[in-house]
Amino acid sequence: MTCVMMTLIAGATTSHAAPVTALYVDRTVSACSDSGSGTQSAPFCTIAKGVSKLSPGMELDIGNGTYAETIKPGVSGTSSAGLLVTAWPGRSPVIGAGVANGAFVSGRSYITISNLTFTGTSKDGINVTNSDHITISGNRVTASGKPAQSLTAPGISLRGSSASLVTGNTSDHNSDHGILVTSGSTTSTVSYNETSWNANGWQRNANGIDVISAGNTIIGNVAHDNEDSGLQFYPGGNNNLATLNVLYNNGDHGIDNLNVTGGRLIGNTVFHNCTTGINVEGTSGNFVVGNNVAVDNAVYPAYNGISCSRRKGNIGIWDSAPATTTVDHNLVRLTKAGTMYVFGSSYTSLSAMQAATGQEKAGVQADPKFVSTVGNNLQLTEGSAAIDRADSGLTGEQPADILGNPRVRDPNVSNTFAAGPRRYDDLGAYEFQPTVPALAPVAALSVTPASGVA
């Protein structure tokens, strides 16, 4: 399942107004010259030269070829005149092979890097550090780091950076996390990215998305087949929102929370991860876990067919977390015997957990009726118990799903257990779109006056 909505969520941070002046780089054309004008007909040969000529309100379009260079802006943009570094439309540059970073943005503001391919760097493919209002969008980042030498590196990183946006990227086969948010990065949004097959290779550590900073929004991402968890919040990652994410076949948890507080896990789809699907443990507390779909976690081998022997539970709220955590409106299911739910103690059924704890009053143990588990198409089909069952009043619940589909009422489904101002939101990351039968045609009424009647 690789279909990810690329539209930015309302209110998401964007980095700058549209640039008005463009420069060009293309090392593959004979007319290129670093002493030239940088026009389309006489482009620069190197990215370094092009970047050095940028000032607020300008963009750099990079043409074909492989560039063993680093995009390293020397100036910032402004809120009304940003900088843009992007692919020359219709061309396919590849950046980074043999250098430390493909892009390194340090101490800068209002810059966008978009629609480029980064591969083979020894460190982070894209590294944003001590910066703000940076947008990283529509890029592919792969093969960062050198795991054979234990030089592990994430694909994309925000380090000590704020009010930034990482959206619509693909980050795969890197030697560490697909996306890393760390070192006090805050008020940033990580949205609609796909992260997969990220792995250290010599230890189980690489996550799809790793967040160890507070106050960020992680929305609409697809994280699958990563060596460790799909989405991880570790110490320092307090008060984050995770919503509309799809997490499957990862080597540890779908969503992992260790020693963090104030988390909101709202409306995610978590399927077939190796251990606890939604995991809240250690000193974690003050969590809200609602409107999620959690199916077949901690009962089957996942990433690379490896089975797990760690803590098991389809949803697991462990240690001190149950005292201050609320769980409700979640759908759970196992197709193999296992631990359905942990809320302090372990339960093999939702009904047992409900009776013992009083939690999950509107929860349901049922088949979500995914389109296809074989193809990991985890959208809902008619008759799913997840339809029209969410609490739309939860903080973080979204007005549209991961694909941008609106919340709609399914006339074939009772919304008895729904809550909030919209009593028709579905559980999980996908909103079922019912097919409304066409109305029967209405015959036009024609009355012919009787003879002699005016």
Side-chain angles (χ1 to χ4, degrees), residues 221-242:
N221 303 280
V222 177
H224 64 90
D225 296 289
N226 295 288
E227 177 186 59
D228 201 70
S229 296
L231 171 56
Q232 176 174 280
F233 297 98
Y234 258 34
N238 301 324
N239 301 312
N240 287 289
L241 168 64

Side-chain angles (χ1 to χ4, degrees), residues 216-392:
N216 300 286
T217 297
I218 315 299
I219 178 171
N221 303 280
V222 177
H224 64 90
D225 296 289
N226 295 288
E227 177 186 59
D228 201 70
S229 296
L231 171 56
Q232 176 174 280
F233 297 98
Y234 258 34
N238 301 324
N239 301 312
N240 287 289
L241 168 64
T243 184
L244 298 184
N245 300 288
V246 177
L247 310 126
Y248 65 88
N249 211 50
N250 295 290
D252 198 7
H253 307 285
I255 307 176
D256 188 16
N257 303 269
L258 173 66
N259 299 343
V260 293
T261 60
R264 289 172 290 149
L265 312 179
I266 310 296
N268 303 283
T269 295
V270 186
F271 171 68
H272 198 274
N273 296 284
C274 202
T275 187
T276 312
I278 297 175
N279 186 65
V280 184
E281 65 179 329
T283 60
S284 297
N286 297 309
F287 265 73
V288 176
V289 180
N291 298 349
N292 302 285
V293 172
V295 175
D296 276 346
N297 296 290
V299 289
Y300 294 105
Y303 168 79
N304 273 342
I306 301 171
S307 60
C308 301
S309 58
R310 296 179 294 283
R311 276 181 160 178
K312 294 182 179 293
N314 193 35
I315 293 178
I317 314 298
W318 312 80
D319 306 323
S320 63
T324 56
T325 293
T326 299
V327 294
D328 203 3
H329 292 266
N330 297 292
L331 181 150
V332 294
R333 187 187 191 224
L334 297 177
T335 60
K336 179 181 178 181
T339 301
M340 183 67 68
Y341 222 121
V342 176
F343 198 86
S345 299
S346 297
Y347 304 94
T348 57
S349 70
L350 177 62
S351 60
M353 179 268 192
Q354 291 169 321
T357 68
Q359 296 275 345
E360 282 288 12
K361 291 181 179 179
V364 60
Q365 180 176 327
D367 185 351
K369 295 186 181 290
F370 293 140
V371 170
S372 172
T373 56
V374 174
N376 295 303
N377 184 340
L378 306 181
Q379 297 182 59
L380 307 176
T381 59
E382 186 68 81
S384 170
I387 295 173
D388 292 358
R389 199 179 182 105
D391 180 357
S392 63

Side-chain angles (χ1 to χ4, degrees), residues 204-215:
R204 184 187 56 79
N205 190 60
N207 302 288
I209 301 172
D210 190 37
V211 182
I212 49 179
S213 293

Side-chain angles (χ1 to χ4, degrees), residues 182-198:
T182 189
S183 303
S185 295
T186 189
T187 62
S188 291
T189 298
V190 178
S191 63
Y192 307 108
N193 304 281
E194 182 176 2
T195 62
S196 61
W197 299 106
N198 297 292

Side-chain angles (χ1 to χ4, degrees), residues 23 51 104:
L23 298 173
V51 169
F104 183 69

